Amino acid sequence: MSGKYDEVDPRVQWAMNVLDDEGQTYESQTERLLPGIMVGITPAFGNMLYNFTNKIPIHTNWMKAAITFPLGFGLYAAARNWKDGIRAENQAVMKRYIMTHPELFPEPKRVKYIDFIEPWRPVRY
């Protein structure tokens, strides 16, 4: 969609600046990869628990469980990409709505922090 809504109305430029993350990601690689690793090793732990409850050697069928790691990790990665696509689409819809209805989004007044602080009132019982 291109046309008259490609340029941002000066009345809502502040909102576009707030919504713009400038290409930065706000999560570490650990936060991004750890859930996938946990989903990937779940079959191995399930296999160990199954073997333990049936009183057979814990490492029995270990290779079957190890082979499922890439499947679990891939399943998590696909779900993550799908959810990220939904988030990106929702943000694009939100930006488009703000751009098409600037009268509904007046710029908030700047307030000094010292004026925002309320006096402390002790609560005594």
Side-chain angles (χ1 to χ4, degrees), residues 35-48 60-77:
I37 292 170
M38 297 302 287
V39 170
I41 65 173
T42 299
F45 283 119
N47 182 52
M48 289 173 58
T60 303
N61 297 327
W62 184 252
M63 286 309 292
K64 289 181 185 176
I67 289 171
T68 60
F69 177 83
L71 298 174
F73 191 83
L75 180 67
Y76 169 77

Side-chain angles (χ1 to χ4, degrees), residues 111-121:
V111 178
K112 289 184 180 177
Y113 187 66
I114 194 69
D115 296 334
F116 183 70
I117 298 175
E118 296 180 1
W120 181 70
R121 294 187 184 92

